[in-house]
Amino acid sequence: NQIFLLFSVVSLIIISAVTFIGYNKFSSVYDEIVQAQLEQTSVELISSIEEKYSQVSMIASQVSTDDDIQSLMYQLLKRPDMASFQAQTFKRTLNRYYPYIDSILDYRFYKLDGAGLFPASQELNLIIDDQSIQRALDAEGQLIWVGQDTKSHRYSYAIKVIRLMNHSYENSGFLVLKLANEYFDTQFGETNNFIQIFNHSNQFMTGKNSSNLLLSNEGKISIDDEPFYVVKGISPRTEWSIYVAQSMANYNYKIQKIRLFLVGIALI
């Protein structure tokens, strides 16, 4: 009886130790695999978002270099008083570009002094700050992301200077795009997974759940008692912060099955 009791105690200690160490090791390796997969997903999502941004930039370039727009901006540069008579020309030209990206809700044109050309009723400084206007001038025709519309976080503005290609690339005015932020929202994997995007000023742009939920959060977090793993990525082109949140519910279920399996083996 003493030998049997001693053997049982020693066996129990050894089996429990092996089971505990094996479970922890497996969990650690599985954690690393999940994190690596999520980081790869983050890279792919950033690439997808940058591709969408490139499409917006390309459309803006096509509009600003359109022959009709170039001719019209040159005429208005010389005769700004004629702007009110050119509204139909702006509309007719822009109708060719609206179908390309539905999320671009509006194209607006302004003089260099900020006065509205199309629509003529709105001044540029009412929607774009002076710093962004100067950045657009310094960018020499590149699209500059401004940020959220002050009246609604669902929309953002981008601006670029229109340069006259046939007249020594002279600045003739500004093109402003109003874009729905949901254009950059991307779904991946399970339905509970989501992303949140913040611009270069840490302004919330788009994403599921409350606006600042993931800002500065990385690693394992809990959202409404549901576990998530969060990875942060930075878009080199846009300087946006992109947080990728993956639900860990399915992962925890698999870990629980492994735990029960190891306990069963130990008992046998």
Side-chain angles (χ1 to χ4, degrees), residues 65 76 78 97 158 187:
T65 58
L76 294 178
K78 303 303 179 183
Y97 295 98
Q187 192 71 281

Side-chain angles (χ1 to χ4, degrees), residues 53-63 65 143 160 237:
Y53 184 88
S54 296
Q55 292 174 1
V56 173
S57 181
M58 181 181 67
I59 291 296
S61 295
Q62 290 178 349
V63 171
T65 58
L143 187 68
K160 68 174 296 178
R237 177 168 186 179

Side-chain angles (χ1 to χ4, degrees), residues 212-227:
N212 293 319
L213 180 65
L214 300 185
L215 188 60
S216 302
N217 282 325
E218 293 185 72
K220 293 181 178 179
I221 66 171
S222 179
I223 302 174
D224 296 331
D225 296 326
E226 183 176 352

Side-chain angles (χ1 to χ4, degrees), residues 25-35 251 254-255:
K25 183 63 176 176
F26 177 83
S27 298
S28 176
V29 171
Y30 200 51
D31 272 345
E32 293 175 1
I33 293 173
V34 170
Q35 182 178 352
Y251 160 82
K254 291 179 180 179
I255 289 293

